[in-house]
Amino acid sequence: ALWTIGAGIVIILISANFNRKDEIRLAVMAIGGLLMLWSWADTINWYLQWLRVSPGIWFPSIPFRLNGSNNIAAYLNLLMMFGVCQMVFANLVWKRAAWGAYSLSAFLLIYLSSSRGAWVAAAVGFAVLVLGILYYRPQVWKTWWKSLQASAWSKAGLAGLVLLGASLAALYLQQSRHPTHGPALSSRSEFWPVAWKAFLQSPLLGHGLNTYPSFWLETYSCPPQEVFLHAHNQYLDVLVSAGLIGLFALIFLLAKVFFTLRSELSRAEGEFPWVLGLAGALCAYLVHGVFDGLYRMPFVSFSLALMLGATLQPVTLSSRFYQTFKVAFCGLVVLAGLSVPCVLQPLSDGI
């Protein structure tokens, strides 16, 4: 976890100094688009196989779950938050349609992932977007309200959205009953108590990187139980590996990030959609981290770090030396961290 955080800081500092930040952001979104195409191909292939074994039954009785499930869903949440903000603030019809299709694709795939943690995270992310627009761009809501009052088509569209929302709620409830799921309130009951007991044994400093599996093996017999490498809660993982000191360091880092985001939201003009999307994506990431170890998914964490760096103001020449020093220091931390998994990996393997 600590190595991943250090590597993320390096990516943020480096990407913050790139001049072509639009290219960074669009590259992240384009790569996400390719992943969505692959996911849709996987979905269509599953449906065709269903029709082969159940000819004439067009509506499968077995719910499909996207490959990658929680991992893919966390990544799609990030993409969806940015896509929705680009759609809302697009100044051309074709851009709004393109970003709308992009966001809808991510939304439907999150549904197919059957990741309940991702669904909760998406709800929180959308709430952040709504509150951000209300607070920082109230004129947008005023324009929409006037349009709703003046146009019958807008009223019909709003009614359609309410109906769609009710239908999606029913579909999500059905998808949440996928055979791979346990009960919603107890699906992490195996993992969290193990982490909490490990934390209580060394609350200040923790036990070190990748030590959760050793406590898992002390608690459960493997086999028949599987070996799990993390607590399915990235904050408990921090407590196990780095104790309260690591948790306070994480809280300090997040406080700094949110303070920076608040400043960017207040002064951003043309960049506002990207900054607001980042706020929603970051909140969704942190909420999803209550149910999964997202730090172990580099394509999610590093993409978020890239987008975070691409929203920061460029460093001035007067602070260039200090900035270079920080990048070099964090780089040394990352390089030092490369040797840690080599030492502690046997613990993850259950040796």
Side-chain angles (χ1 to χ4, degrees), residues 15-334:
S15 59
N17 289 279
F18 286 158
N19 293 324
R20 299 179 176 179
K21 296 188 176 184
D22 278 339
E23 295 182 6
I24 298 176
R25 295 186 290 235
L26 292 175
V28 171
M29 301 300 283
I31 293 171
L34 293 175
L35 180 137
M36 283 194 277
L37 289 175
W38 173 81
S39 296
W40 282 117
D42 180 47
T43 304
I44 294 170
N45 181 59
W46 179 88
Y47 184 68
L48 293 175
Q49 290 182 3
W50 165 264
L51 290 179
R52 278 197 290 268
V53 298
S54 304
I57 303 177
W58 300 100
F59 297 98
S61 58
I62 302 174
F64 166 73
R65 191 174 192 189
L66 197 66
N67 282 331
S69 56
N70 295 327
N71 299 6
I72 294 294
Y75 185 50
L76 292 170
N77 255 334
L78 182 151
L79 301 173
M80 182 172 63
M81 296 302 153
F82 288 110
V84 167
C85 286
Q86 292 301 310
M87 177 190 68
V88 170
F89 292 97
N91 53 5
L92 296 174
V93 174
W94 70 267
K95 286 186 177 182
R96 183 165 295 178
W99 283 116
Y102 187 97
S103 304
L104 180 62
S105 171
F107 179 82
L108 294 176
L109 287 171
I110 291 172
Y111 163 71
L112 292 174
S113 74
S114 192
S115 172
R116 293 171 293 186
W119 299 348
V120 175
V124 172
F126 276 124
V128 170
L129 299 187
V130 171
L131 292 174
I133 296 175
L134 279 172
Y135 186 81
Y136 292 102
R137 292 294 187 273
Q139 68 275 11
V140 173
W141 289 109
K142 293 178 181 178
T143 301
W144 288 353
W145 180 248
K146 289 179 180 179
S147 174
L148 179 62
Q149 290 178 316
S151 172
W153 286 107
S154 297
K155 295 177 182 178
L158 179 61
L161 286 176
V162 172
L163 180 61
L164 177 63
S167 301
L168 287 173
L171 288 172
Y172 270 71
L173 181 62
Q174 178 184 354
Q175 185 73 359
S176 68
R177 297 169 181 158
H178 194 276
T180 59
H181 286 314
L185 298 179
S186 60
S187 60
R188 296 294 185 256
S189 59
E190 290 181 300
F191 309 106
W192 293 353
V194 175
W196 184 250
K197 290 178 182 178
F199 160 68
L200 292 178
Q201 292 180 24
S202 180
L204 186 62
L205 298 176
H207 299 277
L209 180 66
N210 277 342
T211 49
Y212 176 83
S214 63
F215 294 98
W216 177 267
L217 293 172
E218 290 178 3
T219 307
Y220 296 103
S221 175
C222 303
Q225 182 62 271
E226 296 180 60
V227 177
F228 288 94
L229 305 183
H230 60 95
H232 288 75
N233 180 309
Q234 57 193 15
Y235 310 106
L236 285 175
D237 278 335
V238 170
L239 286 174
V240 173
S241 62
L244 290 174
I245 292 178
L247 180 63
F248 290 148
L250 177 62
I251 292 173
F252 174 80
L253 174 63
L254 291 177
K256 181 65 176 176
V257 169
F258 277 110
F259 179 79
T260 303
L261 273 177
R262 181 182 177 185
S263 300
E264 295 289 343
L265 285 169
S266 299
R267 65 188 177 190
E269 293 299 333
E271 299 289 293
F272 181 80
W274 289 111
V275 181
L276 180 61
L278 177 63
L282 179 61
C283 290
Y285 177 90
L286 294 175
V287 170
H288 197 165
V290 175
F291 309 101
D292 279 297
L294 299 193
Y295 70 93
R296 300 181 69 91
M297 307 172 191
F299 61 95
V300 182
S301 300
F302 288 178
S303 295
L304 184 60
L306 271 174
M307 298 297 272
L308 180 59
T311 66
L312 300 178
Q313 293 294 323
V315 178
T316 60
L317 291 176
S318 60
S319 60
R320 179 72 64 179
F321 175 79
Y322 176 61
Q323 191 73 15
T324 303
F325 170 78
K326 288 198 295 184
V327 172
F329 177 78
C330 291
L332 290 175
V333 172
V334 172

